[in-house]
Amino acid sequence: MNTTIDSLTLDVPDVDAARSFYTQAFDLGDRLRFRTADAETSGFRGYTLSLVVSQPANVRALADAAVTAGARVISPVSKSLWGVGGTIQAPDGAIWKVATSAKKDTVPPSRTIDEMILLLGAKDVVASKNFYADRGVAVAKSFGRSYVQFDTGASPIGLGLYRYASLAKDAGVPAAGSGSHRLTVHGALGTAVDPDGFVWAPVTVTA
């Protein structure tokens, strides 16, 4: 089954600086690769990356580490009806959300990450869902034209679709954006481009 995302490549202006930032902020290891590229892009790039953790203290630990390393705060860590979360923008422009559904801490804080999820903004959620389903990516949950969660099995990175404008709103940024996503997804789809222009490539690449 084509359910695995192995890693992501972010196009960044400075590979060494990006590697240093992400090591200090999140320490995601082989899940992130970097490539020097200067393709034109402006505004919202159409995706967000989420880090799901087990308790509020871990949200704060990761968000604080990212800000110390150079990230910009978009939405400060705060409580909501669904839990605790905050959103930051890395120096390379990628938007990251750190969140937990837990309301209380039960153990000392750590930067342990339970899940990493790639959320793609889709102009037509149904069309994008069909693109992935037709290529063997199983749908775990689907909410009409609003949201899709895929079953990525034991993948180190999860995958979901969100209505484009809703994803920008959730991230706390204007929906306007154009140009390159500056993102490549490496996984079981091999070489492919989805309806929203997100590029997939084989896992065996030079990073």
Side-chain angles (χ1 to χ4, degrees), residues 62-80:
L62 285 164
D64 289 348
V67 171
T68 299
R72 178 179 74 89
V73 175
I74 297 176
S75 300
V77 174
S78 62
K79 295 181 180 179
S80 68

PDB file of all heavy atoms in Angstrom, residues 62-80:
ATOM      1  N   LEU A  62       8.879  23.055  23.086  1.00  0.00           N
ATOM      2  CA  LEU A  62       9.228  23.072  21.665  1.00  0.00           C
ATOM      3  C   LEU A  62       9.082  24.470  21.071  1.00  0.00           C
ATOM      4  O   LEU A  62       9.938  24.920  20.296  1.00  0.00           O
ATOM      5  CB  LEU A  62       8.360  22.079  20.901  1.00  0.00           C
ATOM      6  CG  LEU A  62       8.735  20.610  21.086  1.00  0.00           C
ATOM      7  CD1 LEU A  62       7.598  19.700  20.623  1.00  0.00           C
ATOM      8  CD2 LEU A  62      10.013  20.273  20.324  1.00  0.00           C
ATOM      9  N   ALA A  63       7.991  25.156  21.414  1.00  0.00           N
ATOM     10  CA  ALA A  63       7.787  26.501  20.887  1.00  0.00           C
ATOM     11  C   ALA A  63       8.876  27.438  21.376  1.00  0.00           C
ATOM     12  O   ALA A  63       9.416  28.254  20.597  1.00  0.00           O
ATOM     13  CB  ALA A  63       6.410  27.011  21.296  1.00  0.00           C
ATOM     14  N   ASP A  64       9.232  27.350  22.647  1.00  0.00           N
ATOM     15  CA  ASP A  64      10.292  28.206  23.192  1.00  0.00           C
ATOM     16  C   ASP A  64      11.632  27.916  22.521  1.00  0.00           C
ATOM     17  O   ASP A  64      12.397  28.840  22.211  1.00  0.00           O
ATOM     18  CB  ASP A  64      10.416  27.997  24.702  1.00  0.00           C
ATOM     19  CG  ASP A  64       9.242  28.582  25.483  1.00  0.00           C
ATOM     20  OD1 ASP A  64       8.460  29.337  24.882  1.00  0.00           O
ATOM     21  OD2 ASP A  64       9.116  28.267  26.682  1.00  0.00           O
ATOM     22  N   ALA A  65      11.924  26.623  22.291  1.00  0.00           N
ATOM     23  CA  ALA A  65      13.180  26.265  21.638  1.00  0.00           C
ATOM     24  C   ALA A  65      13.233  26.823  20.222  1.00  0.00           C
ATOM     25  O   ALA A  65      14.282  27.302  19.766  1.00  0.00           O
ATOM     26  CB  ALA A  65      13.346  24.747  21.620  1.00  0.00           C
ATOM     27  N   ALA A  66      12.097  26.766  19.523  1.00  0.00           N
ATOM     28  CA  ALA A  66      12.056  27.281  18.156  1.00  0.00           C
ATOM     29  C   ALA A  66      12.263  28.791  18.127  1.00  0.00           C
ATOM     30  O   ALA A  66      13.004  29.314  17.278  1.00  0.00           O
ATOM     31  CB  ALA A  66      10.719  26.919  17.509  1.00  0.00           C
ATOM     32  N   VAL A  67      11.629  29.497  19.045  1.00  0.00           N
ATOM     33  CA  VAL A  67      11.783  30.958  19.091  1.00  0.00           C
ATOM     34  C   VAL A  67      13.212  31.332  19.447  1.00  0.00           C
ATOM     35  O   VAL A  67      13.808  32.242  18.851  1.00  0.00           O
ATOM     36  CB  VAL A  67      10.780  31.564  20.094  1.00  0.00           C
ATOM     37  CG1 VAL A  67      11.074  33.051  20.316  1.00  0.00           C
ATOM     38  CG2 VAL A  67       9.354  31.386  19.585  1.00  0.00           C
ATOM     39  N   THR A  68      13.794  30.619  20.391  1.00  0.00           N
ATOM     40  CA  THR A  68      15.189  30.872  20.763  1.00  0.00           C
ATOM     41  C   THR A  68      16.125  30.656  19.573  1.00  0.00           C
ATOM     42  O   THR A  68      17.112  31.373  19.394  1.00  0.00           O
ATOM     43  CB  THR A  68      15.608  29.953  21.930  1.00  0.00           C
ATOM     44  OG1 THR A  68      14.784  30.240  23.059  1.00  0.00           O
ATOM     45  CG2 THR A  68      17.066  30.158  22.291  1.00  0.00           C
ATOM     46  N   ALA A  69      15.786  29.680  18.731  1.00  0.00           N
ATOM     47  CA  ALA A  69      16.614  29.367  17.565  1.00  0.00           C
ATOM     48  C   ALA A  69      16.387  30.333  16.404  1.00  0.00           C
ATOM     49  O   ALA A  69      17.136  30.295  15.425  1.00  0.00           O
ATOM     50  CB  ALA A  69      16.341  27.941  17.105  1.00  0.00           C
ATOM     51  N   GLY A  70      15.346  31.177  16.500  1.00  0.00           N
ATOM     52  CA  GLY A  70      15.135  32.178  15.452  1.00  0.00           C
ATOM     53  C   GLY A  70      13.773  32.202  14.796  1.00  0.00           C
ATOM     54  O   GLY A  70      13.564  32.949  13.837  1.00  0.00           O
ATOM     55  N   ALA A  71      12.818  31.407  15.274  1.00  0.00           N
ATOM     56  CA  ALA A  71      11.479  31.388  14.688  1.00  0.00           C
ATOM     57  C   ALA A  71      10.682  32.635  15.064  1.00  0.00           C
ATOM     58  O   ALA A  71      10.945  33.268  16.097  1.00  0.00           O
ATOM     59  CB  ALA A  71      10.716  30.142  15.141  1.00  0.00           C
ATOM     60  N   ARG A  72       9.700  32.938  14.239  1.00  0.00           N
ATOM     61  CA  ARG A  72       8.778  34.049  14.508  1.00  0.00           C
ATOM     62  C   ARG A  72       7.465  33.490  15.035  1.00  0.00           C
ATOM     63  O   ARG A  72       6.931  32.528  14.485  1.00  0.00           O
ATOM     64  CB  ARG A  72       8.517  34.838  13.212  1.00  0.00           C
ATOM     65  CG  ARG A  72       7.526  35.988  13.360  1.00  0.00           C
ATOM     66  CD  ARG A  72       7.346  36.718  12.047  1.00  0.00           C
ATOM     67  NE  ARG A  72       6.561  35.978  11.083  1.00  0.00           N
ATOM     68  CZ  ARG A  72       5.220  36.051  10.990  1.00  0.00           C
ATOM     69  NH1 ARG A  72       4.515  36.775  11.842  1.00  0.00           N
ATOM     70  NH2 ARG A  72       4.583  35.370  10.048  1.00  0.00           N
ATOM     71  N   VAL A  73       6.940  34.091  16.091  1.00  0.00           N
ATOM     72  CA  VAL A  73       5.670  33.640  16.649  1.00  0.00           C
ATOM     73  C   VAL A  73       4.520  34.170  15.796  1.00  0.00           C
ATOM     74  O   VAL A  73       4.406  35.369  15.559  1.00  0.00           O
ATOM     75  CB  VAL A  73       5.501  34.117  18.106  1.00  0.00           C
ATOM     76  CG1 VAL A  73       4.116  33.737  18.625  1.00  0.00           C
ATOM     77  CG2 VAL A  73       6.579  33.516  18.988  1.00  0.00           C
ATOM     78  N   ILE A  74       3.668  33.269  15.319  1.00  0.00           N
ATOM     79  CA  ILE A  74       2.444  33.662  14.625  1.00  0.00           C
ATOM     80  C   ILE A  74       1.288  33.683  15.616  1.00  0.00           C
ATOM     81  O   ILE A  74       0.553  34.670  15.722  1.00  0.00           O
ATOM     82  CB  ILE A  74       2.121  32.704  13.462  1.00  0.00           C
ATOM     83  CG1 ILE A  74       3.224  32.758  12.405  1.00  0.00           C
ATOM     84  CG2 ILE A  74       0.771  33.049  12.844  1.00  0.00           C
ATOM     85  CD1 ILE A  74       3.040  31.771  11.271  1.00  0.00           C
ATOM     86  N   SER A  75       1.131  32.595  16.359  1.00  0.00           N
ATOM     87  CA  SER A  75       0.102  32.503  17.405  1.00  0.00           C
ATOM     88  C   SER A  75       0.778  31.987  18.671  1.00  0.00           C
ATOM     89  O   SER A  75       1.278  30.855  18.680  1.00  0.00           O
ATOM     90  CB  SER A  75      -1.021  31.554  16.994  1.00  0.00           C
ATOM     91  OG  SER A  75      -1.653  31.985  15.808  1.00  0.00           O
ATOM     92  N   PRO A  76       0.796  32.769  19.741  1.00  0.00           N
ATOM     93  CA  PRO A  76       1.423  32.312  20.980  1.00  0.00           C
ATOM     94  C   PRO A  76       0.738  31.055  21.519  1.00  0.00           C
ATOM     95  O   PRO A  76      -0.448  30.826  21.248  1.00  0.00           O
ATOM     96  CB  PRO A  76       1.226  33.493  21.940  1.00  0.00           C
ATOM     97  CG  PRO A  76       0.948  34.671  21.063  1.00  0.00           C
ATOM     98  CD  PRO A  76       0.247  34.136  19.857  1.00  0.00           C
ATOM     99  N   VAL A  77       1.480  30.264  22.259  1.00  0.00           N
ATOM    100  CA  VAL A  77       0.901  29.076  22.882  1.00  0.00           C
ATOM    101  C   VAL A  77      -0.233  29.495  23.812  1.00  0.00           C
ATOM    102  O   VAL A  77      -0.063  30.374  24.663  1.00  0.00           O
ATOM    103  CB  VAL A  77       1.978  28.305  23.673  1.00  0.00           C
ATOM    104  CG1 VAL A  77       1.336  27.147  24.440  1.00  0.00           C
ATOM    105  CG2 VAL A  77       3.051  27.790  22.730  1.00  0.00           C
ATOM    106  N   SER A  78      -1.392  28.882  23.631  1.00  0.00           N
ATOM    107  CA  SER A  78      -2.554  29.227  24.439  1.00  0.00           C
ATOM    108  C   SER A  78      -3.511  28.047  24.536  1.00  0.00           C
ATOM    109  O   SER A  78      -3.414  27.092  23.764  1.00  0.00           O
ATOM    110  CB  SER A  78      -3.287  30.431  23.841  1.00  0.00           C
ATOM    111  OG  SER A  78      -3.764  30.123  22.533  1.00  0.00           O
ATOM    112  N   LYS A  79      -4.440  28.137  25.481  1.00  0.00           N
ATOM    113  CA  LYS A  79      -5.448  27.102  25.655  1.00  0.00           C
ATOM    114  C   LYS A  79      -6.635  27.365  24.745  1.00  0.00           C
ATOM    115  O   LYS A  79      -6.934  28.501  24.403  1.00  0.00           O
ATOM    116  CB  LYS A  79      -5.929  27.077  27.108  1.00  0.00           C
ATOM    117  CG  LYS A  79      -4.875  26.670  28.116  1.00  0.00           C
ATOM    118  CD  LYS A  79      -5.452  26.642  29.515  1.00  0.00           C
ATOM    119  CE  LYS A  79      -4.407  26.233  30.545  1.00  0.00           C
ATOM    120  NZ  LYS A  79      -4.964  26.224  31.927  1.00  0.00           N
ATOM    121  N   SER A  80      -7.303  26.296  24.337  1.00  0.00           N
ATOM    122  CA  SER A  80      -8.532  26.406  23.562  1.00  0.00           C
ATOM    123  C   SER A  80      -9.457  25.276  23.987  1.00  0.00           C
ATOM    124  O   SER A  80      -9.133  24.493  24.888  1.00  0.00           O
ATOM    125  CB  SER A  80      -8.233  26.313  22.062  1.00  0.00           C
ATOM    126  OG  SER A  80      -7.784  25.013  21.729  1.00  0.00           O
TER     127      SER A  80
END
